[in-house]
Amino acid sequence: MANKPYKALGMDVPFRTAEERDHRVQELIRLGVAQETLAQSDQDYGCEVQRKVQAITLENTAGARLADIDRKIEAVMKHAGPTMTTTERVLRWQRARTVSPGPSI
């Protein structure tokens, strides 16, 4: 059985150290309880596991993806022209002065 790529769950548990065996047994119990809890609340265990795997994958890849997006945004901003025309800038400046005039002396 050890030469086969997939062994039955728990097949090698008796051959581990007591600490490893206890850890694996507790893990199986925890997973069983989680599965029963989800089944009682009419939630699909498979979908929950799939969502968790997707969340872990996203957490592991998000940093690199965000850094890539930041580089692309920076490149676009570096090569972009002015966002406001001179007329719009003057009008905004005049509006800002009338709405909030500076301190009176």
Side-chain angles (χ1 to χ4, degrees), residues 26-88:
Q26 291 301 320
E27 186 177 0
L28 288 173
I29 291 171
R30 184 179 49 79
L31 290 172
V33 168
Q35 188 173 2
E36 288 176 8
T37 304
L38 289 172
Q40 288 175 355
S41 64
D42 293 330
Q43 293 178 343
D44 186 13
Y45 181 72
C47 288
E48 292 298 321
V49 170
Q50 184 179 11
R51 284 189 198 110
K52 190 172 225 173
V53 169
Q54 287 175 344
I56 292 169
T57 303
L58 184 60
E59 285 177 1
N60 291 339
T61 60
R65 292 178 67 198
L66 288 174
D68 184 45
I69 291 170
D70 284 344
R71 281 193 298 275
K72 288 178 181 179
I73 290 172
E74 189 175 329
V76 167
M77 290 177 68
K78 196 179 286 185
H79 298 298
T83 55
M84 288 189 282
T85 63
T86 305
T87 307
E88 184 179 3

Side-chain angles (χ1 to χ4, degrees), residues 92-105:
R92 285 177 181 260
W93 179 77
Q94 289 173 351
R95 174 71 177 149
R97 287 199 39 115
T98 54
V99 171
S100 59
S104 56
I105 300 175

Side-chain angles (χ1 to χ4, degrees), residues 16-35:
R16 296 179 184 265
T17 65
E19 185 178 311
E20 289 177 331
R21 185 171 51 242
D22 289 343
H23 177 73
R24 300 292 181 209
V25 169
Q26 291 301 320
E27 186 177 0
L28 288 173
I29 291 171
R30 184 179 49 79
L31 290 172
V33 168
Q35 188 173 2

